[in-house]
Amino acid sequence: MRTDIFARLDREPEPPKMEIPRMSRTRLALFGGTSVFYLAIVIAVLASTWLVLIDWKVMLFRPYQQWPELHAPLDYFVVLGQRGPTAVMVAAWLGWRSWRQHTLRPLLALGTALLLLNVTVGAVKIGLGRLGPHYATQIGSAELFAGGDIFPSGHTANAVVTWGILSYLATTPRARRHLSALSAVVALGVGLTTVYLGTHWLSDVLLGWAAGLLILLGLPWCEPLIARAEVMILSARDRLFDRLRDRLRERRRPTAPALPLTPVLPPGGLVPAMQPQRSAAECPDGALPDFPVDDPAREPAQPGPVGAQPAGLHAGSIRATLSQPRVHHAVLRSERTPVTPAGSRRPPRSRPVTGG
């Protein structure tokens, strides 16, 4: 039995039994509380309450100027919240898990979560149109409906979803606890980094955390759809592989050699052209006599010159006439008999003599 670390990288012989999260009472309570928190932040920003004042105080504090030595490393750290790089990294890990566990559920769960993230967060961003701190025009204003797209924070919500999906898909309680702590640290760090860099208001980050958490808490409702999609994809894959396998077998199948064509003889034995001819004495009354020839079945025909008559046929017989090939001689126009404008074409000797 292998005990090294590479043994855990091998593909499992059969799909393991995985416990799919259900919408429990605890999860429902968390989903409801997060939804209330989400609505409270939106209403507070729309009403330009104390939350907007805190946004301006943090922005005017300019943390990137207070601690400039952190600017360079945090520029790299905030990449963990960008949708493109994080989706590629997490998809690579979940793709290996899908191959190892014989299931498409990890990849389908990630795709469903990202789709919900783009729809929900993108709709709120476009609908509210809030400007960022660097583009603010009036101190104390919420900067809503001005053509912006930063409320809620996409970096923060993406960090919550992409790293939180790892804990959601964990197969053991220990792995789920460790991955939950890791995703929480990354999501908090990415959100605070955007505030430090001045690209988001503090309320943007709070709403981004709530938006990402709502998607993770609501994923169990999408599990039946994920299961049906997995069955459809796997069945389509099997049908495609079966067709390709059948085509390869047809190409590799050896073809039978062509058999020589043999003439099929009638029940009498020889065809009529090969039967011996009858003489006049052997023919009944009223039948045309044939000229006797030797039996071609016993004596093979000898090749002759082109245009020669077949053996057994005389020059005056009807068969000899029909058996001779027709030769068409081209007649030049100059060799034809000239046509006179009027009168008979017969020669003078053949014309009748008329007396008067």
Side-chain angles (χ1 to χ4, degrees), residues 8-17 99-102:
R8 303 190 62 179
L9 301 178
D10 294 339
R11 194 177 191 186
E12 298 183 5
E14 58 184 15
K17 295 182 179 180
W99 170 81
R100 184 173 183 268
Q101 296 176 351
H102 306 268

Side-chain angles (χ1 to χ4, degrees), residues 116-133:
L116 293 175
L117 176 67
N118 291 333
V119 172
T120 57
V121 175
V124 177
K125 278 187 173 187
I126 297 174
L128 296 179
R130 191 180 190 186
L131 294 176

Side-chain angles (χ1 to χ4, degrees), residues 3-356:
T3 57
D4 56 318
I5 191 174
F6 295 101
R8 303 190 62 179
L9 301 178
D10 294 339
R11 194 177 191 186
E12 298 183 5
E14 58 184 15
K17 295 182 179 180
M18 294 181 294
E19 182 180 357
I20 299 177
R22 298 180 179 180
M23 188 58 71
S24 59
R25 293 182 178 180
T26 303
R27 189 179 289 270
L28 276 174
L30 291 174
F31 186 86
T34 307
S35 300
V36 172
F37 180 73
Y38 187 97
L39 292 176
I41 295 174
V42 173
I43 293 173
V45 173
L46 287 173
S48 298
T49 59
W50 54 270
L51 185 57
V52 177
L53 298 178
I54 294 178
D55 288 340
W56 277 98
K57 288 182 180 180
V58 174
M59 190 275 263
L60 295 176
F61 181 70
R62 290 182 172 83
Y64 57 90
Q65 293 182 356
Q66 302 296 328
W67 302 284
E69 64 277 2
L70 299 178
H71 198 288
L74 291 181
D75 275 339
Y76 293 100
F77 178 76
V78 79
V79 176
L80 296 178
Q82 291 184 0
R83 195 161 305 162
T86 55
V88 171
M89 289 187 291
V90 175
W93 170 261
L94 296 180
W96 171 78
R97 277 194 55 186
S98 297
W99 170 81
R100 184 173 183 268
Q101 296 176 351
H102 306 268
T103 177
L104 295 177
R105 178 175 171 264
L107 288 176
L108 293 176
L110 175 63
T112 304
L114 292 179
L115 179 61
L116 293 175
L117 176 67
N118 291 333
V119 172
T120 57
V121 175
V124 177
K125 278 187 173 187
I126 297 174
L128 296 179
R130 191 180 190 186
L131 294 176
H134 292 306
Y135 303 96
T137 57
Q138 185 179 356
I139 296 177
S141 173
E143 302 294 336
L144 293 173
F145 309 108
D149 57 351
I150 56 102
F151 183 69
S153 172
H155 279 70
T156 306
N158 184 73
V160 173
V161 172
T162 51
W163 300 109
I165 197 71
L166 298 179
S167 61
Y168 176 82
L169 296 173
T171 56
T172 61
R174 180 181 178 183
R176 186 174 293 109
R177 288 194 301 267
H178 292 171
L179 292 174
S180 298
L182 176 62
S183 60
V185 170
V186 173
L188 290 172
V190 169
L192 295 177
T193 299
T194 58
V195 176
Y196 166 84
L197 297 175
T199 57
H200 280 286
W201 306 97
L202 181 60
S203 57
D204 299 344
V205 175
L206 295 177
L207 196 64
W209 284 332
L213 188 57
L214 284 176
I215 293 174
L216 290 179
L217 292 174
L219 268 183
W221 283 326
C222 302
E223 286 294 342
L225 180 61
I226 293 174
R228 288 195 295 268
E230 181 181 8
V231 172
M232 293 176 59
I233 294 174
L234 292 179
S235 60
R237 182 204 62 180
D238 294 339
R239 289 194 299 268
L240 179 61
F241 285 174
D242 291 342
R243 292 177 182 177
L244 294 177
R245 193 180 300 110
D246 294 341
R247 290 182 181 180
L248 291 177
R249 289 177 180 176
E250 292 178 359
R251 292 181 180 179
R252 295 177 181 177
R253 184 179 302 172
T255 58
L259 298 177
L261 298 178
T262 56
V264 179
L265 300 179
L270 299 176
V271 296
M274 299 177 62
Q275 294 179 359
Q277 305 298 323
R278 296 175 301 178
S279 61
E282 297 174 352
C283 294
D285 297 338
L288 295 176
D290 296 330
F291 294 92
V293 295
D294 295 333
D295 190 356
R298 294 190 298 268
E299 296 182 4
Q302 299 295 331
V306 179
Q309 298 179 3
L313 297 181
H314 296 274
S317 65
I318 299 177
R319 293 189 179 184
T321 305
L322 295 178
S323 62
Q324 292 180 358
R326 297 182 179 181
V327 180
H328 299 276
H329 300 281
V331 180
L332 299 179
R333 188 177 184 88
S334 59
E335 298 177 359
R336 298 178 183 176
T337 305
V339 180
T340 57
S344 176
R345 297 183 183 180
R346 292 181 295 178
R349 294 180 182 179
S350 61
R351 295 180 184 178
V353 180
T354 58

